[in-house]
Amino acid sequence: MIDLHYAATPNGLKLRLYLEETGLAHRIVPVKLSAGEQFAPRFLAMSPNNKIPAILDHAPADGGAPLPVFESGAILLYLARKTGLLWPRGERAQLEATQWLFWQMAGLGPMAGQAGHFRAHAPEAVPYAIDRYTREAARLYGVLDRRLHGREFVAGDELSIADIACYPWVVPHAGLGHDLTATPDLQRWFERIRARPATQRAYAGVEDPYAKPANFTQAERQALFGQGAQG
């Protein structure tokens, strides 16, 4: 059994999507970010960076005590290597999946997240930041579009953790100012992943966090975007 400490952000949805695709036994433990639950001592013991997602694996491969893992990319890599699920066969294919997982973690996620923040969540418009991050997110969508030309999946011939990592950061493309028709291979891949039953289950009732300007209270804004608890 895996406990997934989760909120329906793109990073949280990576793990929700992975668990739906693989059918691994799991329990969802909601973390209400706007209430500051990510700063609770119990959660910080698993995720010292006070970010979701985090998991607690009650049956680690070494047979030891329940194992906490934080950071969405590290969790995907851990689960894929442990179970072999959505993990390509062969060293070269595994390296491809790992490279594109790291690409998403280092590039697509942070840049798209900043674009979304300044377009929808910032308390005041900052034109330079909006332009900078919107352009960079579009550039990265272009990188992924070129990667997918003539390919069904991001790495290898089958669905892998590389697709799982990238998809949730393509979902909010409209709120990030990107028209998928400008990247047709990315659009084709996106529509295919969106139609999968596991994706439909993972995204049931989930709203695009960047689709419209947020209306946070000051306390919610502090919990979400302030430094929060220190120490």
Side-chain angles (χ1 to χ4, degrees), residues 25-74:
H26 65 279
R27 179 173 71 105
I28 299 294
V29 183
V31 179
K32 190 173 181 181
L33 303 179
S34 61
E37 292 180 357
Q38 68 272 32
F39 300 110
R42 179 170 175 269
F43 182 76
L44 287 172
M46 293 182 295
S47 182
N49 195 35
N50 61 260
K51 304 293 185 182
I52 62 88
I55 66 165
L56 187 65
D57 183 0
H58 291 275
D62 63 7
L67 178 64
V69 187
F70 73 105
E71 286 294 328
S72 59

Short mmCIF file of all heavy atoms in Angstrom, two decimals, residues 25-74:
data_model
loop_
_atom_site.label_atom_id
_atom_site.label_comp_id
_atom_site.label_asym_id
_atom_site.label_seq_id
_atom_site.Cartn_x
_atom_site.Cartn_y
_atom_site.Cartn_z
N ALA A 25 -1.81 -0.47 -5.53
CA ALA A 25 -2.66 -0.19 -4.37
C ALA A 25 -2.20 1.08 -3.68
O ALA A 25 -1.01 1.23 -3.37
CB ALA A 25 -2.62 -1.37 -3.40
N HIS A 26 -3.13 2.00 -3.47
CA HIS A 26 -2.75 3.26 -2.86
C HIS A 26 -3.93 3.87 -2.13
O HIS A 26 -5.08 3.50 -2.33
CB HIS A 26 -2.23 4.24 -3.92
CG HIS A 26 -3.27 4.66 -4.93
ND1 HIS A 26 -3.60 3.87 -6.01
CD2 HIS A 26 -4.03 5.77 -5.03
CE1 HIS A 26 -4.52 4.48 -6.73
NE2 HIS A 26 -4.80 5.64 -6.15
N ARG A 27 -3.58 4.83 -1.28
CA ARG A 27 -4.58 5.60 -0.53
C ARG A 27 -4.25 7.06 -0.71
O ARG A 27 -3.09 7.47 -0.56
CB ARG A 27 -4.52 5.22 0.95
CG ARG A 27 -5.50 5.96 1.85
CD ARG A 27 -5.46 5.38 3.25
NE ARG A 27 -4.23 5.70 3.95
CZ ARG A 27 -4.11 6.60 4.92
NH1 ARG A 27 -5.19 7.28 5.30
NH2 ARG A 27 -2.96 6.79 5.53
N ILE A 28 -5.24 7.86 -1.08
CA ILE A 28 -5.05 9.29 -1.24
C ILE A 28 -5.19 9.98 0.11
O ILE A 28 -6.19 9.80 0.81
CB ILE A 28 -6.08 9.88 -2.22
CG1 ILE A 28 -5.94 9.24 -3.61
CG2 ILE A 28 -5.92 11.40 -2.30
CD1 ILE A 28 -4.67 9.56 -4.32
N VAL A 29 -4.19 10.75 0.48
CA VAL A 29 -4.23 11.55 1.70
C VAL A 29 -4.23 13.01 1.26
O VAL A 29 -3.19 13.56 0.88
CB VAL A 29 -3.02 11.27 2.61
CG1 VAL A 29 -3.12 12.08 3.90
CG2 VAL A 29 -2.91 9.78 2.91
N PRO A 30 -5.38 13.68 1.27
CA PRO A 30 -5.44 15.06 0.78
C PRO A 30 -4.62 16.01 1.65
O PRO A 30 -4.57 15.87 2.88
CB PRO A 30 -6.93 15.40 0.86
CG PRO A 30 -7.64 14.08 0.94
CD PRO A 30 -6.70 13.17 1.67
N VAL A 31 -3.97 16.95 1.00
CA VAL A 31 -3.23 18.01 1.68
C VAL A 31 -3.81 19.33 1.19
O VAL A 31 -3.70 19.66 0.00
CB VAL A 31 -1.72 17.95 1.38
CG1 VAL A 31 -0.99 19.10 2.10
CG2 VAL A 31 -1.14 16.60 1.79
N LYS A 32 -4.45 20.09 2.07
CA LYS A 32 -5.07 21.35 1.68
C LYS A 32 -4.02 22.45 1.74
O LYS A 32 -3.71 22.96 2.82
CB LYS A 32 -6.26 21.67 2.57
CG LYS A 32 -7.08 22.86 2.06
CD LYS A 32 -8.35 23.06 2.86
CE LYS A 32 -9.16 24.23 2.30
NZ LYS A 32 -10.40 24.45 3.08
N LEU A 33 -3.49 22.81 0.60
CA LEU A 33 -2.39 23.75 0.56
C LEU A 33 -2.80 25.15 1.02
O LEU A 33 -2.03 25.84 1.70
CB LEU A 33 -1.83 23.82 -0.86
CG LEU A 33 -1.35 22.49 -1.46
CD1 LEU A 33 -0.86 22.70 -2.87
CD2 LEU A 33 -0.27 21.85 -0.59
N SER A 34 -4.00 25.58 0.64
CA SER A 34 -4.44 26.93 1.00
C SER A 34 -4.64 27.09 2.50
O SER A 34 -4.67 28.21 3.02
CB SER A 34 -5.72 27.29 0.26
OG SER A 34 -6.77 26.39 0.60
N ALA A 35 -4.78 25.97 3.22
CA ALA A 35 -4.90 26.01 4.67
C ALA A 35 -3.56 25.81 5.36
O ALA A 35 -3.49 25.79 6.60
CB ALA A 35 -5.88 24.94 5.15
N GLY A 36 -2.49 25.64 4.58
CA GLY A 36 -1.17 25.49 5.16
C GLY A 36 -0.86 24.12 5.70
O GLY A 36 0.09 23.95 6.48
N GLU A 37 -1.62 23.10 5.28
CA GLU A 37 -1.39 21.76 5.82
C GLU A 37 -0.03 21.19 5.41
O GLU A 37 0.47 20.25 6.04
CB GLU A 37 -2.51 20.82 5.38
CG GLU A 37 -3.85 21.16 6.01
CD GLU A 37 -4.98 20.25 5.59
OE1 GLU A 37 -4.75 19.36 4.73
OE2 GLU A 37 -6.10 20.42 6.10
N GLN A 38 0.59 21.77 4.37
CA GLN A 38 1.92 21.32 3.95
C GLN A 38 3.01 21.69 4.94
O GLN A 38 4.14 21.21 4.82
CB GLN A 38 2.24 21.88 2.55
CG GLN A 38 2.44 23.39 2.49
CD GLN A 38 1.12 24.13 2.27
OE1 GLN A 38 0.06 23.70 2.71
NE2 GLN A 38 1.19 25.25 1.57
N PHE A 39 2.66 22.52 5.93
CA PHE A 39 3.63 22.91 6.94
C PHE A 39 3.47 22.11 8.24
O PHE A 39 4.19 22.35 9.21
CB PHE A 39 3.52 24.40 7.25
CG PHE A 39 3.77 25.27 6.04
CD1 PHE A 39 2.73 25.97 5.45
CD2 PHE A 39 5.03 25.36 5.49
CE1 PHE A 39 2.95 26.76 4.34
CE2 PHE A 39 5.27 26.15 4.37
CZ PHE A 39 4.22 26.85 3.78
N ALA A 40 2.54 21.16 8.26
CA ALA A 40 2.33 20.35 9.46
C ALA A 40 3.56 19.49 9.72
O ALA A 40 4.16 18.95 8.78
CB ALA A 40 1.10 19.47 9.30
N PRO A 41 3.98 19.31 10.96
CA PRO A 41 5.18 18.52 11.26
C PRO A 41 5.15 17.12 10.66
O PRO A 41 6.17 16.63 10.18
CB PRO A 41 5.20 18.49 12.80
CG PRO A 41 4.50 19.75 13.20
CD PRO A 41 3.43 19.96 12.18
N ARG A 42 3.98 16.48 10.67
CA ARG A 42 3.89 15.12 10.13
C ARG A 42 4.20 15.11 8.64
O ARG A 42 4.88 14.20 8.14
CB ARG A 42 2.49 14.54 10.39
CG ARG A 42 2.29 13.13 9.86
CD ARG A 42 0.97 12.56 10.38
NE ARG A 42 0.69 11.26 9.80
CZ ARG A 42 0.00 11.07 8.68
NH1 ARG A 42 -0.50 12.12 8.02
NH2 ARG A 42 -0.21 9.86 8.22
N PHE A 43 3.72 16.13 7.92
CA PHE A 43 4.00 16.18 6.49
C PHE A 43 5.46 16.56 6.24
O PHE A 43 6.12 15.99 5.36
CB PHE A 43 3.07 17.18 5.80
CG PHE A 43 3.29 17.24 4.31
CD1 PHE A 43 2.81 16.23 3.48
CD2 PHE A 43 3.98 18.29 3.74
CE1 PHE A 43 3.02 16.27 2.11
CE2 PHE A 43 4.20 18.34 2.37
CZ PHE A 43 3.72 17.32 1.56
N LEU A 44 5.98 17.50 7.01
CA LEU A 44 7.37 17.92 6.83
C LEU A 44 8.35 16.79 7.11
O LEU A 44 9.45 16.76 6.56
CB LEU A 44 7.68 19.10 7.74
CG LEU A 44 7.07 20.44 7.33
CD1 LEU A 44 7.29 21.47 8.42
CD2 LEU A 44 7.66 20.92 6.01
N ALA A 45 7.95 15.83 7.93
CA ALA A 45 8.81 14.68 8.18
C ALA A 45 9.01 13.84 6.93
O ALA A 45 10.03 13.16 6.78
CB ALA A 45 8.22 13.82 9.31
N MET A 46 8.03 13.88 6.02
CA MET A 46 8.13 13.17 4.75
C MET A 46 8.68 14.05 3.65
O MET A 46 9.41 13.60 2.77
CB MET A 46 6.76 12.63 4.32
CG MET A 46 6.19 11.55 5.19
SD MET A 46 4.62 10.98 4.52
CE MET A 46 3.63 12.47 4.73
N SER A 47 8.29 15.32 3.65
CA SER A 47 8.63 16.25 2.58
C SER A 47 9.21 17.52 3.18
O SER A 47 8.48 18.49 3.41
CB SER A 47 7.38 16.57 1.75
OG SER A 47 7.69 17.43 0.68
N PRO A 48 10.51 17.54 3.45
CA PRO A 48 11.11 18.68 4.17
C PRO A 48 11.06 19.99 3.40
O PRO A 48 11.25 21.05 4.01
CB PRO A 48 12.56 18.23 4.40
CG PRO A 48 12.79 17.13 3.42
CD PRO A 48 11.48 16.45 3.22
N ASN A 49 10.76 19.95 2.10
CA ASN A 49 10.62 21.18 1.31
C ASN A 49 9.19 21.70 1.33
O ASN A 49 8.84 22.62 0.60
CB ASN A 49 11.07 20.93 -0.13
CG ASN A 49 11.31 22.21 -0.90
OD1 ASN A 49 11.77 23.20 -0.35
ND2 ASN A 49 10.98 22.20 -2.18
N ASN A 50 8.34 21.11 2.15
CA ASN A 50 6.93 21.47 2.33
C ASN A 50 6.16 21.59 1.01
O ASN A 50 5.33 22.47 0.84
CB ASN A 50 6.74 22.73 3.18
CG ASN A 50 7.36 24.00 2.63
OD1 ASN A 50 8.43 24.39 3.08
ND2 ASN A 50 6.69 24.66 1.70
N LYS A 51 6.44 20.66 0.08
CA LYS A 51 5.74 20.62 -1.19
C LYS A 51 5.12 19.25 -1.39
O LYS A 51 5.68 18.23 -0.99
CB LYS A 51 6.68 20.91 -2.37
CG LYS A 51 7.43 22.24 -2.28
CD LYS A 51 6.50 23.43 -2.41
CE LYS A 51 7.27 24.73 -2.43
NZ LYS A 51 6.38 25.91 -2.50
N ILE A 52 3.93 19.26 -2.04
CA ILE A 52 3.36 17.98 -2.47
C ILE A 52 3.87 17.69 -3.87
O ILE A 52 4.33 18.62 -4.57
CB ILE A 52 1.80 18.00 -2.42
CG1 ILE A 52 1.23 19.04 -3.38
CG2 ILE A 52 1.31 18.17 -1.02
CD1 ILE A 52 0.98 18.58 -4.75
N PRO A 53 3.85 16.41 -4.27
CA PRO A 53 3.39 15.24 -3.54
C PRO A 53 4.51 14.62 -2.70
O PRO A 53 5.68 14.93 -2.89
CB PRO A 53 2.98 14.28 -4.66
CG PRO A 53 3.98 14.57 -5.74
CD PRO A 53 4.20 16.07 -5.68
N ALA A 54 4.09 13.74 -1.81
CA ALA A 54 5.01 12.86 -1.10
C ALA A 54 4.30 11.53 -0.95
O ALA A 54 3.07 11.47 -0.95
CB ALA A 54 5.37 13.43 0.27
N ILE A 55 5.06 10.47 -0.87
CA ILE A 55 4.46 9.16 -0.64
C ILE A 55 5.07 8.52 0.59
O ILE A 55 6.19 8.87 1.01
CB ILE A 55 4.61 8.20 -1.84
CG1 ILE A 55 6.09 7.83 -2.08
CG2 ILE A 55 3.97 8.77 -3.10
CD1 ILE A 55 6.28 6.63 -3.00
N LEU A 56 4.33 7.58 1.14
CA LEU A 56 4.85 6.67 2.16
C LEU A 56 4.59 5.27 1.64
O LEU A 56 3.44 4.86 1.48
CB LEU A 56 4.15 6.90 3.50
CG LEU A 56 4.73 6.11 4.67
CD1 LEU A 56 6.16 6.56 4.97
CD2 LEU A 56 3.86 6.27 5.92
N ASP A 57 5.67 4.57 1.31
CA ASP A 57 5.58 3.22 0.77
C ASP A 57 5.64 2.24 1.94
O ASP A 57 6.67 2.12 2.59
CB ASP A 57 6.72 2.97 -0.21
CG ASP A 57 6.63 1.59 -0.87
OD1 ASP A 57 5.70 0.83 -0.56
OD2 ASP A 57 7.51 1.28 -1.71
N HIS A 58 4.54 1.53 2.18
CA HIS A 58 4.47 0.61 3.31
C HIS A 58 5.10 -0.74 3.01
O HIS A 58 5.21 -1.58 3.91
CB HIS A 58 3.01 0.42 3.74
CG HIS A 58 2.42 1.63 4.36
ND1 HIS A 58 2.57 1.94 5.70
CD2 HIS A 58 1.69 2.65 3.82
CE1 HIS A 58 1.95 3.08 5.97
NE2 HIS A 58 1.41 3.53 4.85
N ALA A 59 5.52 -0.95 1.75
CA ALA A 59 6.16 -2.22 1.39
C ALA A 59 7.38 -1.94 0.51
O ALA A 59 7.42 -2.32 -0.66
CB ALA A 59 5.17 -3.12 0.66
N PRO A 60 8.40 -1.27 1.06
CA PRO A 60 9.59 -0.98 0.24
C PRO A 60 10.31 -2.26 -0.16
O PRO A 60 10.17 -3.31 0.50
CB PRO A 60 10.44 -0.11 1.17
CG PRO A 60 9.98 -0.44 2.55
CD PRO A 60 8.53 -0.78 2.43
N ALA A 61 11.09 -2.17 -1.22
CA ALA A 61 11.73 -3.36 -1.77
C ALA A 61 12.72 -4.00 -0.80
O ALA A 61 12.95 -5.21 -0.86
CB ALA A 61 12.44 -2.99 -3.07
N ASP A 62 13.29 -3.20 0.10
CA ASP A 62 14.27 -3.77 1.03
C ASP A 62 13.63 -4.46 2.23
O ASP A 62 14.32 -5.00 3.09
CB ASP A 62 15.26 -2.70 1.51
CG ASP A 62 14.60 -1.57 2.30
OD1 ASP A 62 13.39 -1.65 2.60
OD2 ASP A 62 15.31 -0.59 2.61
N GLY A 63 12.29 -4.42 2.29
CA GLY A 63 11.59 -5.10 3.37
C GLY A 63 11.66 -4.38 4.70
O GLY A 63 11.23 -4.91 5.72
N GLY A 64 12.19 -3.16 4.70
CA GLY A 64 12.34 -2.42 5.94
C GLY A 64 11.11 -1.63 6.33
O GLY A 64 10.00 -1.92 5.88
N ALA A 65 11.32 -0.64 7.17
CA ALA A 65 10.23 0.20 7.65
C ALA A 65 9.62 0.99 6.50
O ALA A 65 10.24 1.16 5.44
CB ALA A 65 10.77 1.15 8.72
N PRO A 66 8.38 1.45 6.67
CA PRO A 66 7.77 2.29 5.63
C PRO A 66 8.71 3.41 5.20
O PRO A 66 9.36 4.05 6.03
CB PRO A 66 6.51 2.82 6.32
CG PRO A 66 6.14 1.74 7.27
CD PRO A 66 7.46 1.22 7.80
N LEU A 67 8.75 3.63 3.89
CA LEU A 67 9.74 4.53 3.30
C LEU A 67 9.07 5.78 2.74
O LEU A 67 8.25 5.70 1.82
CB LEU A 67 10.49 3.79 2.18
CG LEU A 67 11.54 4.59 1.41
CD1 LEU A 67 12.69 4.98 2.34
CD2 LEU A 67 12.07 3.76 0.24
N PRO A 68 9.41 6.97 3.25
CA PRO A 68 8.89 8.20 2.66
C PRO A 68 9.75 8.65 1.49
O PRO A 68 10.98 8.50 1.52
CB PRO A 68 8.98 9.20 3.82
CG PRO A 68 10.15 8.73 4.64
CD PRO A 68 10.19 7.22 4.49
N VAL A 69 9.10 9.20 0.46
CA VAL A 69 9.81 9.73 -0.70
C VAL A 69 9.13 11.05 -1.08
O VAL A 69 7.90 11.11 -1.15
CB VAL A 69 9.78 8.78 -1.91
CG1 VAL A 69 10.68 9.30 -3.03
CG2 VAL A 69 10.19 7.35 -1.52
N PHE A 70 9.93 12.09 -1.32
CA PHE A 70 9.36 13.37 -1.74
C PHE A 70 9.97 13.78 -3.07
O PHE A 70 10.94 13.19 -3.53
CB PHE A 70 9.55 14.46 -0.67
CG PHE A 70 10.95 14.99 -0.53
CD1 PHE A 70 11.28 16.24 -1.03
CD2 PHE A 70 11.94 14.27 0.13
CE1 PHE A 70 12.56 16.76 -0.89
CE2 PHE A 70 13.23 14.78 0.28
CZ PHE A 70 13.54 16.02 -0.23
N GLU A 71 9.39 14.79 -3.71
CA GLU A 71 9.71 15.29 -5.04
C GLU A 71 9.11 14.36 -6.11
O GLU A 71 9.44 13.19 -6.18
CB GLU A 71 11.21 15.48 -5.27
CG GLU A 71 11.79 16.68 -4.56
CD GLU A 71 11.25 18.01 -5.12
OE1 GLU A 71 10.94 18.10 -6.31
OE2 GLU A 71 11.16 18.97 -4.33
N SER A 72 8.24 14.94 -6.95
CA SER A 72 7.45 14.13 -7.88
C SER A 72 8.32 13.32 -8.84
O SER A 72 8.03 12.16 -9.12
CB SER A 72 6.50 15.03 -8.68
OG SER A 72 7.19 16.02 -9.41
N GLY A 73 9.40 13.91 -9.34
CA GLY A 73 10.26 13.16 -10.25
C GLY A 73 10.95 12.00 -9.56
O GLY A 73 11.04 10.90 -10.11
N ALA A 74 11.43 12.23 -8.34
CA ALA A 74 12.07 11.16 -7.58
C ALA A 74 11.08 10.05 -7.26
O ALA A 74 11.43 8.85 -7.31
CB ALA A 74 12.67 11.72 -6.30
#
